[in-house]
Amino acid sequence: MEATKTAVKPAAAAIAVRDLTFAYAAAPVLQDVSFGLEKRAVGLLGPNGSGKTTLLRALLGHLPLKRGAVSVMGCDMARDPRGARRRLGWMPERGGILPGMSGVAMVAYLGELGGMPPTDALQRAHEVLNYVGLADERYREADTYSQGMRQRLKLAQALVHDPDWLLLDEPTSGLDPRGRVSMLELMRDLAAHKGFGIILSTHLLADVREVCQEILVLRQGRLLSHGRVEAAPPGATAQFLVEGFGDEPAFQAALRDAGLEAVRRERLLEITAPADAGARLVLAAASASGFALRRLQPRRETLEDLFYQLVDDADDARKD
Amino acid sequence: MPVYERGYRPWEHSGRRARAPWWTIARRGIAEPLKSRRLLFLLAVAWVPAIVKGGILYFTFQMGELSRLIGGKWTDIGPRGFLTYLGWQSPFVLILLAIVGSGLISRDRRENGLALYLARPLGVRDYVLGKGAVVMFYYFAVTLLPVWALCLFGYLVTSGATGMQMLLLIPLQALAYCLVTGAGFTLVLLALSSVGQRTVFVALWWVLLYAGTDGLAEIMSLFSPGLQILNFPGQFLNAGIVFFGGEPLCEVPPAASLLVVLAYAALGAWVLRRRIKPVEVVA
């Protein structure tokens, strides 16, 4: 994955954000955030507290902005919030289920509130619930839905009024692996084949890689990076975390003999090895040196990795 | 079934008109409690005094002065008699609004529903208007509607009633009174609902405000009659004298009671203005 500068100017974009600044009390949450997005799937990345959800709320016009402007499909949020919101569908992370209603009633109700005539809203509610895979459960009370079904229901209510953009806040949160795959499949289909723009707020890099073509990285309320996600070819090398006991210098020598790099990170060894045969080579080196392995774990790329890479790049650029 | 087999098609507008957002909220809020048989029973019971009054009016006309002596205030078909009737409805107002109104906003707040509403093309006013219409509907159902029905019935069965009074004057007086007091009750109840997230606590606060101040004011008025001004429902009723005429119901001038009602309404509106936000921002 790599992040490169995008060429979309805020003024010409489907979603344009200019100098967005917002603070809770004295603490700034968003600072001079500016970007422009074309209608495509965009990942909004950042650690907890980086301002992702606040940015989504600002896009919805929910926050009294200190400074800045948001426009959605040409509608200025300050001047025409209803027009702008008609083009947005929001899936919240927390809550988002109206109690005491069946799935279809809730989606139809929110469709009506989205500006649809009642009959259209009811028909659309059935259609989108079928699309998200809740057709069989649509008459059940939404309160009784499982976490996976709740997430689908929240996606359905975001879709019902056929917006241009979907703002999805941690949509795979709390899902089991099968539910997560299914949700990612839906998001990918919506972005790639159904023409929706998606802003996917998450701290899971893998979700962004699955769905998005572009990323926004926030850190401490500042836009750290805005770039395209380009699917990198399967890496030539992979990293493994190793823990064990025995003659470690001999193990490290065996690793060097096998052409592998090992760096100590506190009580773990981080080994860089060819992706296709890395684990086999590590095991062979351990066997040859008599080093007993307690743990051999492929190191997953995390958001932090991307962050540190971006921060390092920024620091390097500053030094140059 | 895989996603690509389920299909998705964009919304094709039928050309029909969409409802106003507040009306959508109000319709849902009104219809939902009606699914409860207990509430329907309560509504039916709340009409019993009106039916009894109607029966007494009928027999008064049929039997003359004798039944008037037995019926007492129940036979009064003047404006003041209808205000007395509205006073009798006070327990029903207390219970019904506690059931219907306590959860209107608190449940939305608990489920992050407020943000869900306000992410749609509607404003805070639509939301409050819709929720308020629910409370007003149920308030009218046990106050204004029975009064109107009694007016019509009284005009039909009694000899002393004039069409001008029973079909125009009293219904309009009742409408004005119920609009003002209903708005006051509604704004106060919605404000309470917007402060809490647990419906049961909101209901408790409502009952304390309504019944608690009633009892407290009764005790306090032993020391100073003017302290009747602390009586929350009492002030709403006493304000009715401004609309229906007659002697004040307590030591507080009716105009002052009306100001108290308006102050409650303003306070409720102020709380709602502060509380109904998609995001709670600490200023």
PDB file of all heavy atoms in Angstrom, chain A residues 28-39:
ATOM      1  N   PRO A  28      -8.775  21.430  20.772  1.00  0.00           N
ATOM      2  CA  PRO A  28      -9.067  21.332  19.346  1.00  0.00           C
ATOM      3  C   PRO A  28      -9.200  19.869  18.916  1.00  0.00           C
ATOM      4  O   PRO A  28      -8.393  19.033  19.314  1.00  0.00           O
ATOM      5  CB  PRO A  28      -7.853  21.982  18.675  1.00  0.00           C
ATOM      6  CG  PRO A  28      -6.771  21.900  19.692  1.00  0.00           C
ATOM      7  CD  PRO A  28      -7.403  21.868  21.034  1.00  0.00           C
ATOM      8  N   VAL A  29     -10.231  19.574  18.155  1.00  0.00           N
ATOM      9  CA  VAL A  29     -10.441  18.198  17.681  1.00  0.00           C
ATOM     10  C   VAL A  29     -10.135  18.102  16.195  1.00  0.00           C
ATOM     11  O   VAL A  29      -9.556  17.128  15.730  1.00  0.00           O
ATOM     12  CB  VAL A  29     -11.888  17.750  17.958  1.00  0.00           C
ATOM     13  CG1 VAL A  29     -12.088  16.303  17.553  1.00  0.00           C
ATOM     14  CG2 VAL A  29     -12.213  17.915  19.429  1.00  0.00           C
ATOM     15  N   LEU A  30     -10.514  19.132  15.464  1.00  0.00           N
ATOM     16  CA  LEU A  30     -10.165  19.199  14.041  1.00  0.00           C
ATOM     17  C   LEU A  30      -9.489  20.546  13.793  1.00  0.00           C
ATOM     18  O   LEU A  30      -9.976  21.577  14.260  1.00  0.00           O
ATOM     19  CB  LEU A  30     -11.415  19.088  13.172  1.00  0.00           C
ATOM     20  CG  LEU A  30     -12.183  17.769  13.228  1.00  0.00           C
ATOM     21  CD1 LEU A  30     -13.493  17.882  12.455  1.00  0.00           C
ATOM     22  CD2 LEU A  30     -11.340  16.630  12.639  1.00  0.00           C
ATOM     23  N   GLN A  31      -8.395  20.501  13.070  1.00  0.00           N
ATOM     24  CA  GLN A  31      -7.655  21.739  12.842  1.00  0.00           C
ATOM     25  C   GLN A  31      -7.338  21.904  11.363  1.00  0.00           C
ATOM     26  O   GLN A  31      -6.605  21.092  10.796  1.00  0.00           O
ATOM     27  CB  GLN A  31      -6.342  21.727  13.629  1.00  0.00           C
ATOM     28  CG  GLN A  31      -6.531  21.666  15.130  1.00  0.00           C
ATOM     29  CD  GLN A  31      -5.207  21.655  15.846  1.00  0.00           C
ATOM     30  OE1 GLN A  31      -4.493  22.643  15.864  1.00  0.00           O
ATOM     31  NE2 GLN A  31      -4.870  20.525  16.435  1.00  0.00           N
ATOM     32  N   ASP A  32      -7.927  22.897  10.778  1.00  0.00           N
ATOM     33  CA  ASP A  32      -7.631  23.279   9.390  1.00  0.00           C
ATOM     34  C   ASP A  32      -7.620  22.081   8.437  1.00  0.00           C
ATOM     35  O   ASP A  32      -6.696  21.909   7.644  1.00  0.00           O
ATOM     36  CB  ASP A  32      -6.279  23.988   9.319  1.00  0.00           C
ATOM     37  CG  ASP A  32      -6.311  25.308  10.061  1.00  0.00           C
ATOM     38  OD1 ASP A  32      -7.336  26.009   9.942  1.00  0.00           O
ATOM     39  OD2 ASP A  32      -5.340  25.613  10.768  1.00  0.00           O
ATOM     40  N   VAL A  33      -8.651  21.284   8.523  1.00  0.00           N
ATOM     41  CA  VAL A  33      -8.738  20.110   7.648  1.00  0.00           C
ATOM     42  C   VAL A  33      -9.343  20.540   6.310  1.00  0.00           C
ATOM     43  O   VAL A  33     -10.423  21.123   6.272  1.00  0.00           O
ATOM     44  CB  VAL A  33      -9.602  19.004   8.298  1.00  0.00           C
ATOM     45  CG1 VAL A  33      -9.794  17.843   7.340  1.00  0.00           C
ATOM     46  CG2 VAL A  33      -8.956  18.540   9.600  1.00  0.00           C
ATOM     47  N   SER A  34      -8.641  20.266   5.246  1.00  0.00           N
ATOM     48  CA  SER A  34      -9.130  20.585   3.899  1.00  0.00           C
ATOM     49  C   SER A  34      -8.881  19.402   2.983  1.00  0.00           C
ATOM     50  O   SER A  34      -7.809  18.809   3.009  1.00  0.00           O
ATOM     51  CB  SER A  34      -8.391  21.796   3.321  1.00  0.00           C
ATOM     52  OG  SER A  34      -8.643  22.947   4.071  1.00  0.00           O
ATOM     53  N   PHE A  35      -9.894  19.039   2.251  1.00  0.00           N
ATOM     54  CA  PHE A  35      -9.707  18.012   1.220  1.00  0.00           C
ATOM     55  C   PHE A  35     -10.888  18.038   0.260  1.00  0.00           C
ATOM     56  O   PHE A  35     -11.934  18.618   0.546  1.00  0.00           O
ATOM     57  CB  PHE A  35      -9.538  16.614   1.833  1.00  0.00           C
ATOM     58  CG  PHE A  35     -10.687  16.173   2.699  1.00  0.00           C
ATOM     59  CD1 PHE A  35     -11.842  15.636   2.151  1.00  0.00           C
ATOM     60  CD2 PHE A  35     -10.606  16.294   4.086  1.00  0.00           C
ATOM     61  CE1 PHE A  35     -12.888  15.222   2.957  1.00  0.00           C
ATOM     62  CE2 PHE A  35     -11.656  15.891   4.894  1.00  0.00           C
ATOM     63  CZ  PHE A  35     -12.803  15.355   4.325  1.00  0.00           C
ATOM     64  N   GLY A  36     -10.698  17.418  -0.873  1.00  0.00           N
ATOM     65  CA  GLY A  36     -11.778  17.253  -1.832  1.00  0.00           C
ATOM     66  C   GLY A  36     -11.839  15.798  -2.234  1.00  0.00           C
ATOM     67  O   GLY A  36     -10.804  15.156  -2.401  1.00  0.00           O
ATOM     68  N   LEU A  37     -13.063  15.265  -2.344  1.00  0.00           N
ATOM     69  CA  LEU A  37     -13.189  13.845  -2.672  1.00  0.00           C
ATOM     70  C   LEU A  37     -14.028  13.659  -3.921  1.00  0.00           C
ATOM     71  O   LEU A  37     -15.065  14.297  -4.085  1.00  0.00           O
ATOM     72  CB  LEU A  37     -13.866  13.091  -1.520  1.00  0.00           C
ATOM     73  CG  LEU A  37     -13.188  13.132  -0.147  1.00  0.00           C
ATOM     74  CD1 LEU A  37     -14.043  12.415   0.878  1.00  0.00           C
ATOM     75  CD2 LEU A  37     -11.805  12.508  -0.201  1.00  0.00           C
ATOM     76  N   GLU A  38     -13.549  12.787  -4.771  1.00  0.00           N
ATOM     77  CA  GLU A  38     -14.385  12.341  -5.880  1.00  0.00           C
ATOM     78  C   GLU A  38     -15.290  11.246  -5.362  1.00  0.00           C
ATOM     79  O   GLU A  38     -15.033  10.659  -4.306  1.00  0.00           O
ATOM     80  CB  GLU A  38     -13.504  11.798  -7.008  1.00  0.00           C
ATOM     81  CG  GLU A  38     -12.772  12.884  -7.748  1.00  0.00           C
ATOM     82  CD  GLU A  38     -11.832  12.314  -8.789  1.00  0.00           C
ATOM     83  OE1 GLU A  38     -11.667  11.073  -8.833  1.00  0.00           O
ATOM     84  OE2 GLU A  38     -11.252  13.095  -9.538  1.00  0.00           O
ATOM     85  N   LYS A  39     -16.344  10.942  -6.140  1.00  0.00           N
ATOM     86  CA  LYS A  39     -17.302   9.940  -5.668  1.00  0.00           C
ATOM     87  C   LYS A  39     -16.706   8.548  -5.808  1.00  0.00           C
ATOM     88  O   LYS A  39     -16.754   7.941  -6.875  1.00  0.00           O
ATOM     89  CB  LYS A  39     -18.590  10.076  -6.477  1.00  0.00           C
ATOM     90  CG  LYS A  39     -19.812   9.643  -5.735  1.00  0.00           C
ATOM     91  CD  LYS A  39     -21.037   9.997  -6.529  1.00  0.00           C
ATOM     92  CE  LYS A  39     -22.226   9.220  -6.030  1.00  0.00           C
ATOM     93  NZ  LYS A  39     -23.364   9.329  -6.925  1.00  0.00           N
TER      94      LYS A  39
END
